[in-house]
Amino acid sequence: MPIVNFAFPPGLNQNGTPYSRKGRWEESNLVRYHDGSVRPIGGWGRRTAAGAEIAALAADASLEAVRDVFSWRDQNQEQNTAFFSNLGAYHMSEGGIVTEFTYAGYTPFNPDKDAFILTGFGAGFYGVGAFGAANNTDGTEPVPPDRWYSDNFGEVLIHGVRSNGPMQELDRGTLVASAVLNAPDAPQAVLVTDERQVMAIGGDGQTRRVQFSEIEDRTQWTSTVSNQAVDITLPGDGRLLNAIRVLNSVLILGENDAHVARYIGPPYVYSTALAGYNCGPLAAETLIGTDRFAVWWGDRNFWIYDGVVKGINCEVIDELYDDLNMLQVSKISAFTNTQFSEVWWLYQSVGSTTGEVDSYVMWDYNANIWHRGRINRTAGVDSGVLVFPILVDNTGVIYNHELTDTFPLGEGDIFIQSGLLDLGAGDNNVAVRYIYPDTEGTAGISYSFLGRQLPNSAEYTYGPYAYQSERPIPTRAFGRMIKARIDFTEIMSEMGALRLDIAPSGTGGR
């Protein structure tokens, strides 16, 4: 037969059945589709200071994990990065000096790094269950680990623990945190608006409350006829969970709804409008934004707000939800990688061997494609004011990412694998005789095939077959249906089209 060009659409498809996904990429790890080819993501290296590796932030990784990261520039235009764990807060200077700045009197609501369900004597409601028995109530929410909000008011870092304790400000000169005077207590989320007002949601125990400070004054929260402080309560049910600046407005997400607040000036200062319903996030921290939109991970779907709230077609949602540890969704972290137009969500899989976040799902928003894989990172932040994106592993080690001269070693095989391929109606075996490679960095690519007789029958592996210079690569792969797998071992490796010399080979089994 002639050479067949399997021009798979970019990105993964993991929905439906194996046969319904034929002709698509089906599985991958630590690769991206960019400029018309599949390639490894950029590698990483441990962050250093004065030639030495920066020590891990977690003194005991069994008790502490970093979940939130924020970076900003101070008045001297120096980089600042804040890391927040379930036990405290840390500042890293541009020169790599790390200083703990956990505010005095901080008491974690949940000091554990994991979410848990209340069980045992004293748990649940009075009079429910047998006295002295280990009790838990079906349908109760897990108690999440402490998570932090953060934003910068100029060079001042506004931060705090969601729904736990006072709003804090970090003095950049002394690296000492103190309470913001007169601010709402225990807000669920805080941000600084384009008008330089500090906005808080869910403060003072009122879960639908939205408050704005006076313009340029983070200590004035009482609304008067002579200022632009605002105190409103949004209609609806459920708690408000998070808020983000987007398209010259503020998107406010609740458990069940989305509202948009827009600055209109005195006397009303802000207008608010319902933007969507039944579109709440899976967890507050799944919300992330770019200069064009906000996006969040919802319940079995993903949502975007670009002026209108709408769902995103996610072609990996079926296997993603089979993989997701639903008890630990409060540990999800999100970050953008704008260099490659990507949004990453880090999550814990049901099969995690570390008991920690170990996986990711990534959306390329320009190409509208999805990838999934494994990576030992619990939080990250885009390059932005930084030279490289920074990610943190489950021991608190800080890494620079997307290094163009470094291969992403240490997180499993770097590969992409196709769905099923067959001939005609699939009644004949396929014999793959030669591979005609379309590659760059060719020494770092190998090919394998997995053959089977039925969509759900046993697989047999053929290969791997290494690249051969100036001639097609001979193979002996066989099956009614086959899958192709491409492994990468060098950072400069790229693969374009999958071109195969195939022929029918009878109807018998292996």
Side-chain angles (χ1 to χ4, degrees):
M1 288 187 67
I3 298 171
V4 178
N5 183 358
F6 291 97
F8 299 140
L12 301 187
N13 185 343
Q14 297 182 329
N15 295 341
T17 65
Y19 202 71
S20 71
R21 299 192 292 263
K22 74 173 187 173
R24 294 294 305 273
W25 296 116
E26 188 178 58
E27 189 176 351
S28 69
N29 192 52
L30 299 176
V31 300
R32 62 168 51 98
Y33 197 93
H34 189 67
D35 289 340
S37 65
V38 181
R39 62 187 69 181
I41 69 168
W44 48 78
R46 188 162 175 174
R47 185 91 174 194
T48 62
E53 294 179 341
I54 296 175
L57 298 175
D60 186 341
S62 68
L63 302 176
E64 183 177 14
V66 172
R67 305 265 180 235
D68 304 289
V69 189
F70 181 78
S71 62
W72 77 104
R73 288 193 184 274
D74 59 30
Q75 293 180 357
N76 295 323
Q77 297 304 306
E78 292 185 357
Q79 303 168 1
N80 296 264
T81 307
F83 303 89
F84 302 97
S85 77
N86 56 299
L87 296 180
Y90 307 87
H91 173 272
M92 184 178 71
S93 69
E94 184 168 338
I97 298 173
V98 174
T99 305
E100 184 178 356
F101 67 92
T102 311
Y103 68 87
Y106 166 52
T107 302
F109 181 76
N110 172 13
D112 198 280
K113 67 186 183 73
D114 303 314
F116 66 90
I117 295 176
L118 290 170
T119 59
F121 179 75
F125 299 98
Y126 178 78
V128 176
F131 178 78
N135 296 314
N136 69 301
T137 303
D138 290 340
T140 58
E141 293 185 9
V143 179
D146 275 13
R147 298 294 298 264
W148 298 65
Y149 56 80
S150 57
D151 203 354
N152 64 299
F153 190 88
E155 72 169 7
V156 175
L157 178 68
I158 305 295
H159 65 284
V161 180
R162 297 187 187 278
S163 298
N164 180 21
M167 186 189 307
Q168 298 289 313
E169 58 182 52
L170 178 68
D171 183 285
R172 176 60 190 86
T174 63
L175 293 180
V176 174
S178 58
V180 177
L181 295 178
N182 306 316
D185 185 52
Q188 167 68 15
V190 170
L191 60 78
V192 179
T193 71
D194 294 337
E195 294 72 35
R196 287 182 57 80
Q197 293 172 275
V198 180
M199 171 193 171
I201 64 173
D204 298 325
Q206 300 183 44
T207 60
R208 303 286 300 184
R209 190 179 192 182
V210 180
Q211 296 165 273
F212 296 83
S213 74
E214 167 68 314
I215 290 177
E216 297 287 357
D217 187 351
R218 59 187 181 274
T219 67
Q220 176 56 263
W221 292 82
T222 301
S223 178
T224 70
V225 295
S226 60
N227 70 18
Q228 296 192 53
V230 176
D231 190 340
I232 56 178
T233 299
L234 294 181
D237 54 355
R239 299 168 295 164
L240 299 181
L241 296 179
N242 210 346
I244 193 170
R245 294 185 301 274
V246 58
L247 301 176
N248 299 313
S249 59
V250 177
L251 177 70
I252 305 168
L253 286 187
E255 289 180 302
N256 303 312
D257 53 4
H259 293 256
V260 174
R262 293 185 175 89
Y263 179 77
I264 57 175
Y268 300 108
V269 189
Y270 279 87
S271 68
T272 61
L274 179 69
Y277 197 73
N278 290 330
C279 57
L282 190 62
E285 294 77 16
T286 69
L287 175 65
I288 193 73
T290 72
D291 60 340
R292 293 160 33 199
F293 59 82
V295 61
W296 61 99
W297 184 348
D299 185 9
R300 290 203 65 86
N301 51 18
F302 288 80
W303 297 92
I304 186 173
Y305 173 78
D306 57 3
V308 178
V309 172
K310 51 194 173 187
I312 305 171
N313 180 34
C314 177
E315 292 192 309
V316 299
I317 199 74
D318 284 359
E319 291 200 14
L320 174 60
Y321 267 78
D322 288 342
D323 192 49
L324 174 66
N325 186 328
M326 292 298 296
L327 177 61
Q328 302 299 335
V329 296
S330 56
K331 293 160 70 171
I332 295 174
S333 292
F335 68 95
T336 58
N337 186 5
T338 52
Q339 178 184 2
F340 294 100
S341 67
E342 296 168 353
V343 179
W344 288 60
W345 289 270
L346 306 170
Y347 69 93
Q348 182 172 325
S349 72
V350 292
S352 174
T353 58
T354 63
E356 256 305 334
V357 172
D358 65 333
S359 303
Y360 71 90
V361 57
M362 178 263 282
W363 178 48
D364 179 333
Y365 49 83
N366 279 346
N368 193 24
I369 59 177
W370 297 83
H371 283 279
R372 289 182 52 237
R374 304 294 189 208
I375 191 168
N376 171 20
R377 300 292 185 269
T378 59
V381 66
D382 204 351
S383 50
V385 302
L386 305 169
V387 177
F388 305 103
I390 284 180
L391 277 74
V392 185
D393 75 7
N394 63 20
T395 67
V397 172
I398 305 168
Y399 293 90
N400 290 328
H401 270 247
E402 297 297 347
L403 307 182
T404 57
D405 59 349
T406 304
F407 191 73
L409 291 172
E411 294 295 327
D413 295 337
I414 316 301
F415 74 96
I416 190 165
Q417 181 175 298
S418 77
L420 296 171
L421 310 174
D422 59 15
L423 289 175
D427 51 344
N428 276 288
N429 283 294
V430 175
V432 181
R433 301 187 297 191
Y434 292 97
I435 304 166
Y436 286 76
D438 174 30
T439 60
E440 291 285 347
T442 49
I445 294 179
S446 65
Y447 296 82
S448 302
F449 295 94
L450 298 91
R452 60 174 69 183
Q453 292 296 305
L454 295 170
N456 295 306
S457 62
E459 285 185 333
Y460 299 93
T461 301
Y462 303 88
Y465 303 103
Y467 173 81
Q468 296 189 21
S469 163
E470 300 181 1
R471 65 184 182 125
I473 304 167
T475 71
R476 297 177 61 86
F478 175 87
R480 287 180 189 267
M481 302 165 186
I482 60 170
K483 294 182 179 181
R485 172 173 163 139
I486 296 87
D487 283 81
F488 302 87
T489 56
E490 291 184 359
I491 191 60
M492 299 306 293
S493 305
E494 299 178 32
M495 192 206 73
L498 180 65
R499 301 169 66 238
L500 306 176
D501 182 341
I502 61 176
S505 185
T507 59
R510 170 171 168 166

